[in-house]
Amino acid sequence: MFAPIMDELTKEAQAEVDRFNAAFSADHNAIGRVLRVHLIIEQYMNEHIKSTYKIQNLEDIRLSFAQKVKLIRDDHSPAAFVKAGILNINSVRNKFSHTLTPTIEWGEVNNVINVLKIARKATSYAEPIDAIESFAPVACAFLIDAPSSRRTQLEQLLQSGRIKFGSGFW
């Protein structure tokens, strides 16, 4: 009964298998690297939010990553300095979550690069993913609310306008 169309069905099935294999062979290394950075930054954001807002049960509130970023104040604090870069990271992660063959363009990480120009000024990056990974420890350090003389100096520089943050200020 299927004999007359079996060759055509086999060709169509093979075409779909080939399409699946192409999608499945996407760069999983990059996906893992982006997800790892996103997860680590989120853990530090959780600590920052708990400390800033005195929230004991943040996990019970079930905020999205984007909602947590919105809770970072837009002031002259170290956390505010990395906020726009964290938003870049979230956009890249979202792109990786909804695209079969994702890529990262330099323009997608402008705010990450702007922070790194100050925090890691002597470093260059071959690929945007390298910049993202270099940004992660900087962002995490700036999210921790630890008193120190250097942190106080940073806050003074931010307040004086000698270091600016946010998109459009660089």
Side-chain angles (χ1 to χ4, degrees), residues 8-22:
E8 191 62 32
L9 288 175
T10 301
K11 287 179 188 175
E12 288 177 12
Q14 186 59 50
E16 288 305 314
V17 168
D18 292 344
R19 192 175 108 180
F20 170 85
N21 287 335

Side-chain angles (χ1 to χ4, degrees), residues 61-153:
I61 299 171
R62 302 180 54 90
L63 298 172
S64 69
F65 189 95
Q67 290 169 322
K68 291 174 184 178
V69 176
K70 287 183 183 211
L71 289 174
I72 298 173
R73 294 184 176 144
D74 292 318
D75 55 11
H76 296 289
S77 67
F81 177 67
V82 296
K83 182 177 180 176
I86 293 171
L87 286 169
N88 281 170
I89 300 297
N90 194 45
S91 294
V92 169
R93 202 268 331 162
N94 288 343
K95 179 181 175 181
F96 272 54
S97 296
H98 301 287
T99 306
L100 289 176
T101 55
T103 59
I104 308 169
E105 303 298 327
W106 284 107
E108 295 174 281
V109 293
N110 284 338
N111 295 313
V112 165
I113 297 301
N114 290 337
V115 168
L116 292 174
K117 284 179 184 176
I118 294 169
R120 303 265 192 258
K121 58 186 165 202
T123 307
S124 61
Y125 307 97
E127 298 291 330
I129 186 67
D130 300 325
I132 287 171
E133 287 181 328
S134 186
F135 172 81
V138 173
C140 293
F142 279 52
L143 287 167
I144 294 302
D145 195 19
S148 74
S149 61
R150 293 285 179 219
R151 190 170 212 72
T152 302
Q153 289 173 339

Side-chain angles (χ1 to χ4, degrees), residues 18-88:
D18 292 344
R19 192 175 108 180
F20 170 85
N21 287 335
F24 197 71
S25 66
D27 184 2
H28 297 291
N29 185 41
I31 292 168
R33 291 168 72 185
V34 168
L35 290 176
R36 181 179 57 217
V37 164
H38 190 272
L39 178 61
I40 292 169
I41 289 175
E42 185 168 22
Q43 294 305 310
Y44 277 79
M45 271 197 317
N46 289 345
E47 292 177 32
H48 175 77
I49 293 165
K50 287 176 183 180
S51 173
T52 301
Y53 297 102
K54 310 297 184 234
I55 299 173
Q56 298 299 318
N57 59 341
L58 181 63
E59 295 77 17
D60 294 342
I61 299 171
R62 302 180 54 90
L63 298 172
S64 69
F65 189 95
Q67 290 169 322
K68 291 174 184 178
V69 176
K70 287 183 183 211
L71 289 174
I72 298 173
R73 294 184 176 144
D74 292 318
D75 55 11
H76 296 289
S77 67
F81 177 67
V82 296
K83 182 177 180 176
I86 293 171
L87 286 169
N88 281 170

